[in-house]
């Protein structure tokens, strides 16, 4: 199935809403079982790390099961990054574009900014995301997600809802 930019927009806005509304199970359903989730870090020379297997990453999950574990920890307060109350977030997306598409998959790039509120402070996170969507079925699934966090001077541990 080929996918239109309107369908991509709808899909991405839905994911952002699930994160903002803390609908973790619905958010997880957007990922394929073999989906990768990667947030590379910046090295000392200001370049992004290129290999999550051999270099430091801010986050890396090689499959959806890693994301499921992350959500379990958030829901049960067993996360060092998350303590109650969970932050209120507002994800805002822009410059959404289809970079490459076929009947089986679609590569998407977009910019984002997220405001997170907790303990009377607002934290701003911004960056660019690169997705590969599996479009071979009626319901697209995220196969690969790479998030480039551009403000990498972070006051707290970053979690999935910050990106």
């Amino acid at each position: 199935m080929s996918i239109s930019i309107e369908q991509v927009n709808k899909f991405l806005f839905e994911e952002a809403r699930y994160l903002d509304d803390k609908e973790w199970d619905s958010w997880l359903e957007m990922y394929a079982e073999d989906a990768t989730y990667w947030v590379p870090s910046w090295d000392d020379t200001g370049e992004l790390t290129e290999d999550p297997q051999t270099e430091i990453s801010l986050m890396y999950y090689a499959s959806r099961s890693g994301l499921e574990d992350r959500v379990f920890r958030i829901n049960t307060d067993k996360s060092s990054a998350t303590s109650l109350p969970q932050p209120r977030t507002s994800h805002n997306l822009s410059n959404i574009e289809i970079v490459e598409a076929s009947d089986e998959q679609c590569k998407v790039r977009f910019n984002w900014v997220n405001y997170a509120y907790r303990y009377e402070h607002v934290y701003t996170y911004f960056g660019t995301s690169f997705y590969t969507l599996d479009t071979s079925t009626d319901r697209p699934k995220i196969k690969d997600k790479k998030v480039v966090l551009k403000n990498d001077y972070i006051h707290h541990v970053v979690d999935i809802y910050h990106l």
Side-chain angles (χ1 to χ4, degrees):
M1 157 187 125
S2 77
I3 191 167
S4 70
I5 190 68
E6 292 80 14
Q7 291 169 309
V8 169
N9 288 344
K10 182 177 183 283
F11 182 83
L12 296 175
F13 294 149
E14 186 176 67
E15 183 195 21
R17 179 169 41 85
Y18 289 151
L19 288 169
D20 289 340
D21 293 348
K22 300 169 181 47
E23 293 182 35
W24 308 121
D25 291 337
S26 298
W27 179 76
L28 280 171
E29 285 301 313
M30 301 185 84
Y31 288 79
E33 291 294 327
D34 60 347
T36 60
Y37 186 104
W38 181 36
V39 185
S41 63
W42 296 92
D43 68 16
D44 292 340
T45 63
E47 299 294 323
L48 282 173
T49 57
E50 296 180 359
D51 185 350
Q53 301 292 337
T54 61
E55 296 175 289
I56 293 176
S57 299
L58 296 176
M59 262 188 257
Y60 178 67
Y61 297 107
S63 71
R64 191 175 108 167
S65 65
L67 295 172
E68 291 168 351
D69 182 62
R70 186 81 237 132
V71 166
F72 172 81
R73 291 176 184 277
I74 292 169
N75 281 335
T76 58
D77 201 27
K78 293 182 177 178
S79 163
S80 60
T82 304
S83 60
L84 297 175
Q86 293 178 13
R88 291 177 241 156
T89 61
S90 176
H91 289 78
N92 300 274
L93 313 180
S94 66
N95 301 72
I96 299 168
E97 65 178 300
I98 295 174
V99 177
E100 183 181 322
S102 69
D103 288 341
E104 302 295 317
Q105 71 176 19
C106 175
K107 294 188 177 201
V108 177
R109 172 193 173 122
F110 61 95
N111 296 328
W112 54 269
V113 62
N114 179 28
Y115 302 101
Y117 176 84
R118 187 159 86 175
Y119 302 132
E120 301 180 4
H121 294 281
V122 176
Y123 301 95
T124 304
Y125 304 89
F126 63 93
T128 302
S129 290
F130 303 85
Y131 285 26
T132 300
L133 303 177
D134 177 352
T135 58
S136 63
T137 62
D138 291 340
R139 178 88 172 129
K141 295 275 188 184
I142 298 169
K143 291 281 293 177
D144 296 297
K145 179 174 180 175
K146 176 182 173 185
V147 180
V148 176
L149 177 62
K150 294 187 176 175
N151 59 327
D152 61 330
Y153 183 75
I154 304 164
H155 299 280
H156 302 283
V157 177
V158 174
D159 212 321
I160 55 173
Y161 46 76
H162 291 118
L163 310 172

